[in-house]
Amino acid sequence: MSIVLKNIRRTFGTFQALRGINLEIADHQLVALLGPSGSGKTTLLRIIGGLDFPDPGNGTVSIHSEDVTEKPAADRKAGFVFQHYALFNHLSVFENVAFGLEVRPRPTRPSKEAIRDRVLELLRLVQLDGLEQRLPSELSGGQRQRVALARALAIDPKVLLLDEPFGALDAKVRKDLRRWLRSFHQEIGVTTVFVTHDQQEALELADVVVVMNQGQIEQTGSPQEVYDRPATPFVYEFLGDVNKVRKPGRPDLFYVRPHEVRILFAGDSSAEFHAKIEHLFAAGPSARLSLRLTDSRDTLDADMTRAQLEEMGLSEGDEVGLQLALTSKT
Ligand code: ADP
Ligand code: MG
């Protein structure tokens, strides 16, 4: 295991930011800590990196089988990248990346040539070769975050810790960087923990998604596991769209995702529910239907392909039959 966290608690005043976190992260994995704002993601990342510590006697952190619970960041060899570029604005790209190596004490400091080789290699890796003399102010947001990544990697970290690294960038750049980080991680293989509140980002990027809520882990699993088999109502609702449906005569609430709603003709004898199409939105290859159930008057969203929609010849105001893959959650 690369990182092992045992029963970590962290209290600020009387507020419990982390309430007993247990997590094991295998070597070379890309792990997303996913949760709403305030769920404790940053606190946990800082504790992994040694920028913060569990309450005394309440939890341990091991990295590569070494108990580092009481070690400061400088002794953990963790590389950090934060949302807001923490680059030195008066230093060039080259100098920023070289920084972590230049400040080493003499006995462990690489030679000037070795530093130069390493920095140029890292800049190639993050696809910024040729830009080494630029100042941070002469780069785009996405380029700056890649410099921050190269700088974090310069010290050959045992683990890479990223806190919403693309959070401040616009949607398109974010998406590109996400893809890039995925293949970049495959290439360098360093164990990486990535904080995000964006479920799409977590599902697309990570090998393992850790869903956090109110200082606790709700579920840990592959993107497919947490999406298809959510362990708790919180995970169900946090990861993607979900409808909550009551069945007539039953107190339980059922959960169903829009793509799990099957639309049938109103007269179809296999229909379990009947509904009216209140609104229809078709753009691109898929269509989203807002439905109102005839029995309970509950509303429900359903997705179908554009082709299916056209084949059935449906439009707003039509009655349809439904089959729902229901999961009871209460
Ligand atoms: P996230 O990164 O998931 O948004 P954080 O880990 O930053 O959440 O914060 C979790 C909770 O702990 C929040 O309610 C936050 O206000 C609180 N918190 C974090 N750091 C401190 C601190 N230094 N002092 C007091 N409260 C803090
Ligand atoms: Mg945070």
Side-chain angles (χ1 to χ4, degrees):
M1 282 294 154
S2 184
I3 302 171
V4 180
L5 307 175
K6 285 201 182 130
N7 205 25
I8 292 189
R9 296 176 184 277
R10 177 66 169 110
T11 313
F12 296 110
T14 57
F15 179 76
Q16 290 187 296
L18 298 176
R19 305 159 178 253
I21 299 285
N22 290 288
L23 182 63
E24 297 196 346
I25 296 174
D27 286 343
H28 312 303
Q29 277 187 326
L30 178 51
V31 174
L33 301 181
L34 171 68
S37 171
S39 55
K41 307 179 298 291
T42 294
T43 304
L44 188 58
L45 197 77
R46 287 168 53 85
I47 286 176
I48 295 172
L51 299 177
D52 192 9
F53 299 89
D55 295 341
N58 280 282
T60 57
V61 180
S62 308
I63 297 179
H64 290 184
S65 310
E66 183 194 357
D67 185 337
V68 296
T69 310
E70 294 185 0
K71 288 200 168 176
D75 297 341
R76 294 195 191 185
K77 287 198 80 182
F80 289 96
V81 178
F82 299 104
Q83 173 170 351
H84 295 289
Y85 335 107
L87 297 180
F88 303 113
N89 286 319
H90 60 291
L91 297 184
S92 69
V93 166
F94 182 95
E95 290 162 334
N96 264 283
V97 178
F99 184 80
L101 300 171
E102 304 271 14
V103 297
R104 283 200 189 161
R106 265 220 185 280
T108 61
R109 193 187 311 158
S111 69
K112 274 241 164 305
E113 297 70 46
I115 290 179
R116 186 178 167 76
D117 288 350
R118 178 81 181 126
V119 170
L120 293 180
E121 179 197 336
L122 284 164
L123 287 175
R124 253 195 314 279
L125 198 61
V126 298
Q127 295 168 354
L128 291 175
D129 30 341
L131 300 187
E132 50 271 14
Q133 294 317 320
R134 294 249 187 117
L135 289 171
S137 60
E138 297 165 334
L139 299 177
S140 72
Q143 288 173 330
R144 272 180 251 175
Q145 283 307 67
R146 283 185 279 144
V147 175
L149 204 54
R151 194 180 57 177
L153 289 168
I155 59 158
D156 259 323
K158 289 182 183 167
V159 295
L160 193 55
L161 305 175
L162 314 177
D163 193 351
E164 313 234 10
F166 311 144
L169 307 173
D170 70 51
K172 167 83 173 81
V173 176
R174 233 180 127 119
K175 220 168 168 184
D176 291 346
L177 275 182
R178 208 190 277 170
R179 295 232 173 81
W180 175 83
L181 181 66
R182 176 76 249 173
S183 56
F184 177 76
H185 176 263
Q186 261 157 6
E187 193 174 334
I188 62 166
V190 60
T191 308
T192 301
V193 185
F194 178 95
V195 163
T196 181
H197 65 270
D198 179 335
Q199 41 116 345
Q200 203 55 41
E201 194 157 280
L203 294 175
E204 256 184 48
L205 251 175
D207 301 311
V208 173
V209 178
V210 178
V211 185
M212 293 185 64
N213 179 32
Q214 298 188 344
Q216 285 175 313
I217 294 177
E218 295 264 336
Q219 187 173 5
T220 300
S222 69
Q224 199 174 354
E225 274 162 359
V226 295
Y227 189 83
D228 288 344
R229 293 193 295 285
T232 66
F234 175 84
V235 177
Y236 221 123
E237 292 191 47
F238 195 70
L239 286 181
D241 294 338
V242 68
N243 296 296
K244 285 182 256 183
V245 182
R246 284 170 296 144
K247 264 189 159 170
R250 299 269 304 262
D252 340 23
L253 260 185
F254 291 86
Y255 286 69
V256 62
R257 297 209 191 273
H259 73 267
E260 296 171 324
V261 178
R262 223 178 126 211
I263 309 283
L264 308 167
F265 288 113
D268 194 315
S269 61
S270 54
E272 301 164 327
F273 294 85
H274 287 90
K276 185 173 171 174
I277 303 176
E278 290 202 322
H279 182 69
L280 202 162
F281 175 74
S286 64
R288 164 70 55 107
L289 281 60
S290 301
L291 304 165
R292 188 173 292 279
L293 294 177
T294 310
D295 289 335
S296 64
R297 311 289 300 149
D298 283 343
T299 56
L300 192 74
D301 287 336
D303 288 337
M304 62 195 301
T305 66
R306 193 73 174 276
Q308 250 178 315
L309 181 78
E310 276 157 23
E311 197 176 300
M312 292 181 75
L314 297 173
S315 48
E316 279 175 14
D318 286 355
E319 301 276 341
V320 289
L322 306 177
Q323 276 184 336
L324 308 180
L326 294 176
T327 319
S328 177
K329 281 293 164 193
T330 49

